[in-house]
Amino acid sequence: MLASMLAFVKGRLRLHWSLFPGLAGLSAVLLLWGATSALAAEAGGGHGAAPHLEGAVLTLIWDMPFIGILLSIAIFPLVAPIWWHGNFGKVSAFWALAFLIPFALVFGWELALFEVIHVAILEYIPFIVLLLTLFTVAGGVRLKGTLRGTPAVNTAILAMGTVLASFMGTTGAAMLLIRPILRANDWRKHQVHTVVFFIFLVANIGGSLTPLGDPPLFLGFLKGVDFFWPTTNMFLPMLIVALPLLLIYFLFDSYLFRSEGQSAAPAEAGVPGDNVPGGDMKEPLSLEGSFNIVLLLGVMGCVLMSGFWQPGISFELYHTQWDLQNIVRDVLLLTIAYLSWRMTPMQSREANGFTWFPILEVAKLFAGIFVTIIPAIAMLRAGENGALADVIRSVTKEDGLPINYMYFWSTGVLSSFLDNAPTYLVFFNTAGGAPNVDKLMTEWSTTLLAISCGAVFMGAMTYIGNAPNFMVRSIAEQRGVAMPSFFGYMLWSVVFLVPLFVVVTLIFFADGLF
């Protein structure tokens, strides 16, 4: 029965793409049916004014394209992996158009164009430029020598990556270490759990201690939160999550290691092609392309520069202000990527298993995600006047005092599916925002801690919760690791992460819970 259903679905997927305009039309009808009576002129403001999307006029049906692209990412790789591999960009474009076409019909092309340019300049371009640079630079660092993926070695790499993530960013640490840990485990039968825990720890939890670690904390820093506030306040919550995860991983990996019939790593195991002649001798560990480490430091400097340097100069592109410091940062990042590409020998990248597919997949899919997420973010920013008002109201008592455990879970759950940076800002502003940042760091510090922990920790709950998650998955799949599906990964995160988040809630945010 199941086989018949899958065969039917695969058959439907082979339909000619000429049907997609009809599907887009159907989506437009559905979205128009759910639209409010707001007129495009009213939404766009007066003549000459910057267009503005008022989140209060949007209904939840506008989120259908966003839900559609998430379900596509979750289902298509399962039922039609070969088809998906060649068409994920078209699927992403389809869902983006399924939002933009009816949106333009209801609110006018001016507002639609403004929203696309706005999200491109302020969010997507900085996101993909940083990711591309880190992917290129980290892909030029090759760990040579005999590195064998035993439970102790794997746990040590995860621990090192967790520490590095706070100082070079979760994306930088993940891109630097994912290939070495994959190559060290090439000889292992069970590899999926290692990549999953790598996403948990290196790509998310580890970025808790400085604004360099994760984008939400960097936004908090730009809003006035002290640079070392996360270091002193999030250190203990991070340990309570990270240490049990490392212990659980070590015990789990040790069990799987023994189940593979291994009591120790075979002498010839390690990095393919890096063993010296004879097969039973070890080659000392060394780094090839170590100058890329210097370039990684340059990436960190560029990100910090864009936060500290505020020249007050910007350029306007269709009512969107493009700040000079952000333009300079992105140009410098692309220059660093070019230098890494030119200076790293091609044979070194080939030996590292470097291909452009992972970054292309992320760029195409997240282009659709960034477009379709526009209405959801607008609804959140509308606060109690938006369709997601219940979420906003849930974090505050009737007397105006914060409900910290709800701040933690509301910020976290939404960060799992939406961009965790704007989600952080929404709840940061709900709690008092920049005008009250001194109070947020002192007498209201538990509330700021709840928001920060939710945004950083729960980015690990899904593949799209944080920038490096999907990239790590794509690199692992390129190397032959059969990674779990979207929902399959969520099962891992629910089993291993949610109990620890409950513990964090009980220790730090339980006031008023009972």
Side-chain angles (χ1 to χ4, degrees):
M1 179 68 177
L2 180 59
S4 300
M5 292 176 64
L6 291 178
F8 173 79
V9 173
K10 289 182 180 181
R12 297 304 93 194
L13 290 175
R14 285 193 290 267
L15 288 173
H16 195 272
W17 278 94
S18 62
L19 292 179
F20 267 45
L23 291 175
L26 177 60
S27 297
V29 170
L30 290 173
L31 294 175
L32 287 170
W33 175 77
T36 66
S37 59
L39 296 175
E42 294 174 344
H47 179 72
H52 173 67
L53 174 59
E54 180 54 63
V57 305
L58 298 175
T59 60
L60 290 176
I61 201 166
W62 284 104
D63 288 332
M64 283 179 58
F66 177 63
I67 296 171
I69 195 170
L70 293 189
L71 291 177
S72 298
I73 293 171
I75 296 172
F76 283 144
L78 284 178
V79 301
I82 297 176
W83 181 90
W84 172 255
H85 184 83
N87 293 284
F88 57 81
K90 297 174 184 175
V91 174
S92 179
F94 165 74
W95 287 115
L97 291 174
F99 161 68
L100 285 174
I101 292 174
F103 184 83
L105 291 175
V106 174
F107 295 105
W109 69 266
E110 296 93 345
L111 183 57
L113 179 61
F114 168 77
E115 289 295 334
V116 170
I117 292 176
H118 184 83
V119 78
I121 289 179
L122 301 185
E123 298 176 27
Y124 180 73
I125 291 176
F127 165 82
I128 206 64
V129 166
L130 177 60
L131 212 56
L132 170 67
T133 303
L134 289 169
F135 177 77
T136 306
V137 175
V141 180
R142 180 184 174 216
L143 183 63
K144 297 177 64 179
T146 307
L147 184 65
R148 295 165 181 165
T150 63
V153 169
N154 289 339
T155 305
I157 294 175
L158 292 180
M160 179 175 65
T162 303
V163 173
L164 285 176
S166 281
F167 302 97
M168 62 187 307
T170 53
T171 303
M175 293 301 98
L176 181 65
L177 294 176
I178 183 58
R179 289 183 179 88
I181 200 170
L182 287 173
R183 296 170 68 212
N185 286 271
D186 273 343
W187 59 283
R188 292 283 301 273
K189 178 181 178 181
H190 298 98
Q191 302 178 42
V192 170
H193 67 291
T194 297
V195 182
V196 169
F197 275 80
F198 186 94
I199 294 175
F200 290 168
L201 287 159
V202 182
N204 290 277
I205 309 299
S208 303
L209 301 184
T210 74
L212 293 175
D214 220 31
L217 300 183
F218 189 70
L219 285 179
F221 168 65
L222 295 181
K223 294 295 182 179
V225 178
D226 289 346
F227 188 90
F228 291 106
W229 186 93
T231 310
T232 56
N233 289 269
M234 295 187 68
F235 182 72
L236 188 55
M238 190 202 79
L239 283 185
I240 289 174
V241 176
L243 290 180
L245 281 176
L246 287 168
L247 178 60
I248 291 168
Y249 172 80
F250 178 76
L251 296 175
F252 190 25
D253 194 40
S254 297
Y255 168 77
L256 293 176
F257 188 72
R258 289 191 298 270
S259 73
E260 295 168 2
Q262 306 285 352
S263 58
E268 68 275 9
V271 179
D274 284 349
N275 293 324
V276 295
D280 59 349
M281 299 178 63
K282 295 182 180 179
E283 180 182 355
L285 294 178
S286 62
L287 279 181
E288 186 175 80
S290 55
F291 61 88
N292 283 288
I293 302 295
V294 178
L295 295 181
L296 281 174
L297 296 176
V299 173
M300 295 167 56
C302 290
V303 174
L304 276 178
M305 176 274 297
S306 67
F308 283 108
W309 180 45
Q310 303 291 329
I313 300 173
S314 63
F315 303 92
E316 183 177 299
L317 180 60
Y318 199 71
H319 308 291
T320 299
Q321 299 300 317
W322 202 352
D323 292 335
L324 177 62
Q325 65 267 26
N326 295 334
I327 297 174
V328 172
R329 177 200 61 210
D330 292 345
V331 170
L332 289 175
L333 288 174
L334 289 174
T335 302
I336 290 173
Y338 176 76
L339 289 174
S340 174
W341 177 252
R342 294 291 296 177
M343 295 171 65
T344 304
M346 189 57 61
Q347 59 268 29
S348 179
R349 289 191 183 273
E350 291 173 353
N352 219 9
F354 182 93
T355 71
W356 291 110
F357 180 82
I359 190 67
L360 290 174
E361 182 180 28
V362 169
K364 291 180 180 180
L365 288 177
F366 273 83
I369 290 172
F370 271 85
V371 170
T372 57
I373 208 176
I374 289 172
I377 297 299
M379 291 176 204
L380 274 178
R381 287 175 175 157
E384 294 193 10
N385 297 318
L388 297 175
D390 289 341
V391 175
I392 303 299
R393 283 192 288 265
S394 69
V395 301
T396 308
K397 299 177 183 177
E398 291 184 1
D399 58 6
L401 293 176
I403 306 175
N404 292 321
Y405 65 86
M406 287 303 299
Y407 265 109
F408 175 62
W409 285 96
S410 296
T411 306
V413 170
L414 289 174
S415 293
S416 299
F417 296 95
L418 307 178
D419 189 340
N420 61 357
T423 302
Y424 171 92
L425 275 185
V426 166
F427 287 101
F428 178 82
N429 290 328
T430 301
N436 297 289
V437 69
D438 289 334
K439 282 189 176 182
L440 280 172
M441 290 189 292
T442 52
E443 59 184 288
W444 300 344
S445 62
T446 304
T447 302
L448 181 57
L449 181 64
I451 296 168
S452 303
C453 287
V456 175
F457 291 175
M458 295 197 201
M461 289 295 295
T462 71
Y463 280 136
I464 64 169
N466 199 19
N469 299 6
F470 208 97
M471 182 73 79
V472 169
R473 173 202 174 184
S474 186
I475 292 173
E477 287 181 335
Q478 280 291 101
R479 294 191 65 91
V481 179
M483 291 297 293
S485 66
F486 186 90
F487 293 121
Y489 173 83
M490 285 185 64
L491 181 61
W492 282 83
S493 63
V494 168
V495 170
F496 290 103
L497 293 180
V498 170
L500 292 174
F501 296 156
V502 171
V503 172
V504 169
T505 303
L506 295 176
I507 294 175
F508 297 99
F509 314 123
D511 185 36
L513 182 58
F514 302 107

